[in-house]
């Protein structure tokens, strides 16, 4: 198949939870930033985060004047009987000329493609397109130009996939590690009533409690014990799939350890697999975190493009101080 | 509720072939269900050596049940993709239920069903699938009553809602059954066969929480929308899915059928269900717009 992929240098796609974080990311060397509106249309619908329409306009000015691109994520699923916020988000993205719109909902993709045929569309990881036929379906039907791959594929599988599709691929590179197929996980709403697909949140802070009992600190989500820490353990956030649970009379990290994805050690493999862009997670993170991660990745990507390499230690930025290459390495499964 | 259809969803668990065959033979002969879903949704590895399907399909068809073939929920490698292509080649003879967009893509233009693993959250998405040939759409279990109403008001296809059984909350590339037994996914020894209704997961303090089933994570509680059946039928939903468990599914289906035919009141039907499964926790929270695990008692 023909390809518009030119994997000579990986594109660095960075999070911008606020206008200030956006400027930090651009200044630190991001090729591209992604952000969302301050409502349920985006999958990081946290208090105090995200952008108004006016702030998006300013963000586009700042990024474009520094040769960076801006992607808008409208990556939750529109509500039945009440989809105005979602279609307005798409219309605003087109009017302000974002560099691309990241969508998951097939009804919205259909709307965006028909109403704004010139708007560049990326397929969100929340659409869970994990094979060539699924991805080509979005290309054929809606003219999608890039797919953010679900974190379920190994590097050889990504390489094989890239040979069968004719659009760009973006993969997760650093940050929180969802062990479940995104867009198909209702663990959060089963426990808290709030879901990634419908409300843009997972394990929301409004449902979190920490309880000190003697020397033990327990982390709770909606009344369920998600983890428990001794005096010398660092207490993590109770994201429910990264807690300790009991099955078969054994207690441990049944789904996933509290660990961060870090692909700096496999950048050359990802380039050879035909990947176009690397996505850094963390729209809810501080400016200092964003600056440090972006600077590290800028350096790692530039080194990899020169044929140099090696993993960059970012353990101080990782959850639990641990890193993983997740599904990119078959051993993870 | 006389014109409601009662359907048996795909078996999610790894039972041995003999048990599955006996289960479906008994469903064919004794269960008052209209449609029966056959096929592997969770893990392609489980299809190895299971050659009972044609026999089961014949028996169900002869008993007057419509057979639907359900496809995989998460399609990744070449084996998954080949299984899917083979499945969709049967679309002229059987209704195929797609649980991944690639399966939808291969079926587009021909009549097919959309399964609950496909995200249909709004009218525009519903229309998209209907225009592509979907005649049956099983809605995501996460949807609240208001969304079900809005979708039902616009649907031309037959909409279905799961009313019984553990909810399939998540799927992963990682096999949690293998991981819980310290095995790799490739060398899993099919350990998910040890738990015919899923492996219960409790919190560190012993609270009931979830259940794992291979690549899948299920709710601990069993969805039960018995009390909501009149509201669902009033909004125009006619198809109700029972998800199979290692209990007397013939008896369970009779209780739901008796409720739909007004031979049992809602409290009577729930009492009968609780007698059948007295140690089970039920939930209906998603329908009522709260956490899925919750049980909201309605009059």
């Amino acid at each position: 198949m023909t390809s518009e992929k030119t994997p000579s240098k990986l594109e660095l796609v960075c999070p911008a939870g606020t206008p200030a974080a956006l400027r930090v990311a651009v200044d630190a060397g991001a090729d591209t930033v992604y952000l969302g509106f301050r409502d349920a249309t985006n999958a990081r619908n946290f208090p105090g985060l995200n952008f108004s329409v006016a702030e998006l306009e300013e963000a586009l000015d700042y990024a474009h004047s520094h040769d960076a691109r801006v992607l808008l994520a409208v990556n939750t699923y529109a509500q039945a009987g009440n989809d105005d916020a979602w279609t307005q988000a798409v219309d605003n993205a087109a009017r302000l000329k974002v560099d691309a719109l990241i969508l998951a909902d097939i009804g919205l993709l259909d709307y965006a493609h028909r109403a704004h045929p010139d708007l560049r569309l990326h397929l969100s990881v929340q659409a869970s397109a994990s094979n060539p036929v699924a991805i080509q379906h979005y290309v054929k039907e809606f003219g999608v130009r890039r797919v953010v791959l679900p974190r379920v594929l190994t590097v050889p599988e990504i390489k094989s996939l890239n040979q069968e599709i004719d659009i760009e691929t973006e993969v997760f590179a650093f940050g929180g590690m969802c062990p479940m197929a995104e867009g198909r996980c209702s663990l959060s709403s089963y426990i808290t009533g709030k879901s990634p697909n419908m409300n843009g949140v997972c394990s929301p802070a409004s449902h979190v409690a920490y309880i000190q009992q003697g020397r033990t600190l327990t982390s709770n989500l909606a009344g369920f014990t998600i983890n428990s820490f001794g005096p010398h353990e660092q207490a993590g956030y109770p994201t429910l799939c990264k807690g300790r649970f009991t099955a078969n009379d054994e207690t441990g990290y049944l789904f996933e350890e509290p660990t961060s994805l870090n692909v700096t050690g496999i950048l050359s493999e990802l380039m050879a697999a035909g990947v176009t862009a690397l996505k850094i997670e963390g729209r809810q993170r501080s400016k200092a975190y964003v600056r440090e991660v972006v600077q590290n990745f800028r350096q790692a990507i530039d080194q990899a493009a020169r044929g140099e390499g090696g993993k960059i230690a970012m353990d101080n930025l990782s959850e639990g101080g641990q890193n993983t290459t997740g599904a990119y390495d078959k051993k993870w499964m | 509720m006389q014109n409601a259809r009662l359907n048996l969803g795909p078996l999610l668990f790894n039972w041995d072939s003999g048990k599955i065959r006996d289960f479906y033979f008994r469903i064919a002969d004794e269960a008052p269900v209209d449609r029966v879903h056959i096929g592997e949704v969770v893990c392609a590895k489980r299809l190895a050596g299971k050659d009972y399907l044609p026999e089961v399909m014949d028996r169900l068809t002869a008993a007057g049940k419509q057979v639907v073939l359900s496809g995989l929920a998460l399609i990744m490698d070449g084996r998954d993709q080949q299984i899917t292509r083979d499945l969709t080649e049967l679309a002229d003879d059987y209704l195929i239920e797609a649980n991944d967009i690639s399966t939808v893509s291969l079926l587009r233009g021909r009549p097919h069903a959309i399964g609950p693993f496909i995200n249909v959250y709004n009218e525009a998405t519903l229309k998209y699938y209907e225009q592509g040939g979907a005649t049956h759409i099983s809605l995501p279990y996460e949807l609240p009553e208001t969304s079900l109403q809005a979708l039902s008001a616009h649907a031309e296809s037959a909409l279905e809602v799961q009313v019984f059984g553990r909810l399939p909350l998540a799927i992963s590339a990682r096999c949690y059954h293998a991981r819980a037994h310290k095995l790799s996914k490739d060398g899993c020894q099919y350990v998910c066969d040890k738990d015919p209704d899923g492996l219960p997961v409790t919190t560190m303090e012993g609270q009931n929480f979830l259940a794992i089933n291979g690549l899948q994570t299920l709710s601990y509680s069993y969805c039960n929308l018995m009390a909501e059946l009149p509201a669902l039928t009033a909004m125009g939903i006619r198809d109700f899915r029972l998800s199979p468990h290692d209990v007397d599914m013939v008896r369970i289906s009779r209780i739901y059928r008796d409720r739909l035919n007004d031979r049992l009141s809602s409290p009577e039907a729930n009492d009968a269900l609780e007698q059948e499964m007295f140690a089970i926790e039920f939930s209906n929270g998603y329908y009522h717009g709260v956490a899925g695990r919750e049980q909201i008692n309605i009059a």
Side-chain angles (χ1 to χ4, degrees):
Chain A
M1 282 189 181
T2 57
S3 173
E4 60 181 56
K5 294 178 284 241
T6 50
S8 57
K9 193 172 193 178
L10 292 159
E11 176 185 332
L12 179 58
V13 182
C14 300
T18 61
L22 176 132
R23 288 189 290 274
V24 166
V26 169
D27 295 348
D31 296 309
T32 304
V33 286
Y34 66 98
L35 50 83
F37 283 131
R38 198 174 291 135
D39 59 25
T41 65
N42 104 81
R44 286 290 181 279
N45 181 23
F46 298 144
L49 280 194
N50 301 316
F51 289 67
S52 66
V53 174
E55 285 165 344
L56 170 60
E57 203 162 5
E58 288 166 22
L60 282 160
D61 284 345
Y62 189 83
H64 288 167
S65 65
H66 291 76
D67 290 329
R69 291 176 287 271
V70 175
L71 315 181
L72 179 74
V74 180
N75 54 352
T76 53
Y77 288 81
Q79 194 181 349
N82 187 20
D83 68 355
D84 288 356
W86 284 266
T87 52
Q88 276 171 22
V90 170
D91 294 342
N92 283 328
R95 181 170 57 79
L96 297 178
K97 294 189 167 50
V98 298
D99 295 288
L101 183 58
I102 307 170
L103 295 176
D105 184 304
I106 223 161
L108 274 188
L109 280 155
D110 196 32
Y111 172 76
H113 181 55
R114 283 186 289 106
H116 308 289
D118 295 331
L119 182 58
R120 181 180 163 100
L121 301 181
H122 289 184
L123 188 66
S124 167
V125 70
Q126 297 294 123
S128 190
S130 53
N131 60 74
V133 175
I135 293 165
Q136 288 298 100
H137 183 77
Y138 288 102
V139 176
K140 190 175 68 198
E141 292 281 305
F142 314 116
V144 163
R145 306 278 292 279
R146 177 183 293 183
V147 54
V148 184
L149 292 180
R151 280 166 277 194
V152 298
L153 300 167
T154 63
V155 173
E157 283 167 355
I158 292 171
K159 184 172 188 172
S160 159
L161 177 72
N162 269 325
Q163 287 161 354
E164 290 186 64
I165 62 174
D166 49 13
I167 57 166
E168 299 169 353
T169 49
E170 179 173 310
V171 301
F172 280 87
F174 191 79
M177 173 70 207
C178 273
M180 308 300 180
E182 292 99 333
R184 294 170 164 216
C185 178
S186 304
L187 294 178
S188 176
S189 62
Y190 178 66
I191 303 301
T192 72
K194 300 291 176 194
S195 96
N197 285 355
M198 296 175 71
N199 311 100
V201 292
C202 171
S203 309
S206 53
H207 291 66
V208 169
Y210 292 93
I211 298 160
Q212 187 78 49
Q213 290 171 308
R215 291 162 65 81
T216 305
L217 181 67
T218 299
S219 62
N220 263 257
L221 184 70
F224 286 93
T225 305
I226 301 299
N227 214 333
S228 154
F229 306 92
H232 302 297
E233 283 185 292
Q234 193 189 337
Y237 186 85
T239 306
L240 68 87
C241 58
K242 288 168 198 149
R244 273 187 276 217
F245 302 107
T246 304
N248 278 338
D249 298 326
E250 202 166 314
T251 301
Y253 290 108
L254 188 63
F255 301 108
E256 174 63 312
E257 287 83 5
T259 178
S260 283
L261 183 68
N262 180 2
V263 302
T264 52
I266 58 167
L267 290 184
S268 57
E269 286 98 315
L270 291 170
M271 286 172 72
V275 167
T276 298
L278 298 182
K279 187 180 208 89
I280 312 288
E281 257 220 343
R283 278 190 276 163
Q284 70 281 27
R285 300 288 194 159
S286 70
K287 285 187 291 180
Y289 173 93
V290 169
R291 182 182 295 112
E292 196 166 351
V293 173
V294 174
Q295 283 171 344
N296 277 312
F297 262 87
R298 180 75 275 154
Q299 184 192 341
I301 286 172
D302 292 347
Q303 279 174 2
R306 293 193 298 270
E308 304 161 14
K311 183 177 166 183
I312 295 198
M314 288 190 283
D315 293 356
N316 59 319
L317 300 167
S318 303
E319 204 174 338
Q322 297 180 72
N323 291 302
T324 176
T325 45
Y328 301 133
D329 179 349
K330 199 164 171 48
K331 285 198 292 290
W332 180 84
M333 295 182 220
Chain B
M1 297 188 278
Q2 299 284 340
N3 56 355
R5 284 179 291 268
L6 200 53
N7 308 319
L8 192 69
L11 175 69
L12 300 175
F13 306 104
N14 186 23
W15 299 355
D16 75 55
S17 295
K19 179 172 171 171
I20 297 177
R21 193 185 54 218
D22 292 350
F23 171 77
Y24 282 117
F25 280 10
R26 189 157 172 251
I27 292 293
D29 296 345
E30 300 177 40
V33 295
D34 300 290
R35 207 156 62 220
V36 179
H37 289 249
I38 302 288
E40 182 56 52
V41 167
V42 178
C43 176
K45 285 180 75 176
R46 295 177 181 176
L47 282 165
K50 293 198 170 148
D51 48 9
Y52 55 84
L53 281 178
E55 208 184 346
V56 161
M57 287 153 74
D58 287 349
R59 181 81 163 247
L60 287 164
T61 305
K65 319 288 189 203
Q66 184 188 9
V67 171
V68 183
L69 304 177
S70 289
L72 287 167
L74 181 61
I75 296 172
M76 296 178 285
D77 62 15
R79 175 181 56 187
D80 300 345
Q81 293 170 39
Q82 187 58 50
I83 288 167
T84 305
R85 280 191 291 272
D86 292 347
L87 177 73
T88 55
E89 281 174 14
L90 301 172
D92 292 335
D93 299 318
Y94 292 95
L95 188 65
I96 311 286
E97 181 175 80
N99 284 309
D100 179 273
I101 299 297
S102 64
T103 320
V104 177
S105 188
L106 295 168
L107 293 168
R108 227 166 143 73
R110 290 182 287 176
H112 62 272
I114 298 289
F117 299 92
I118 303 254
N119 288 335
V120 181
Y121 282 91
N122 51 63
E123 299 90 327
T125 302
L126 183 80
K127 282 283 158 264
Y128 176 81
Y129 288 123
E130 287 179 345
Q131 283 165 4
T135 55
H136 298 69
I137 297 180
S138 197
L139 294 170
Y141 45 82
E142 195 181 65
L143 292 175
E145 182 179 19
T146 48
S147 291
L148 296 173
Q149 261 168 347
L151 291 170
S152 188
H154 285 82
E156 290 166 32
S157 54
L159 298 187
E160 183 188 68
V161 169
Q162 179 176 331
V163 296
F164 173 83
R166 283 187 157 153
L167 297 168
L169 298 175
I171 191 148
S172 175
R174 191 175 234 183
C175 178
Y176 298 115
H177 248 106
R179 185 170 153 90
H181 287 269
K182 300 188 171 53
L183 297 167
S184 70
K185 186 178 172 186
D186 283 349
C188 70
Q189 300 173 25
Y190 300 94
V191 287
C192 52
D193 68 358
K194 292 183 191 298
D195 301 293
D197 281 332
L199 171 61
V201 175
T202 61
T203 66
M204 295 173 83
E205 291 179 342
Q207 299 153 290
N208 295 325
F209 195 59
L210 299 166
I212 61 177
N213 172 38
L215 310 179
Q216 190 174 53
T217 306
L218 301 164
S219 62
Y220 181 85
S221 62
Y222 288 59
C223 165
N224 171 19
L225 298 187
M226 187 77 80
E228 290 75 13
L229 287 172
L232 285 162
T233 47
M235 67 175 80
I237 290 171
R238 294 280 176 273
D239 283 83
F240 302 109
R241 172 175 295 207
L242 311 176
S243 192
H245 280 282
D246 192 24
V247 294
D248 187 344
M249 288 304 297
V250 169
R251 173 86 186 115
I252 301 286
S253 62
R254 284 180 183 157
I255 296 169
Y256 276 89
R257 178 59 76 189
D258 283 347
R259 175 70 197 114
L260 289 170
N261 289 349
D262 287 324
R263 285 194 291 265
L264 290 177
S265 68
S266 181
E268 287 168 342
N270 266 322
D271 283 351
L273 208 57
E274 277 167 18
Q275 279 171 29
E276 194 63 38
M277 309 175 67
F278 74 100
I280 297 294
E281 286 179 19
F282 289 117
S283 62
N284 61 1
Y286 279 127
Y287 180 89
H288 296 285
V290 296
R293 67 187 164 85
E294 289 191 35
Q295 174 62 39
I296 306 292
N297 293 317
I298 58 171

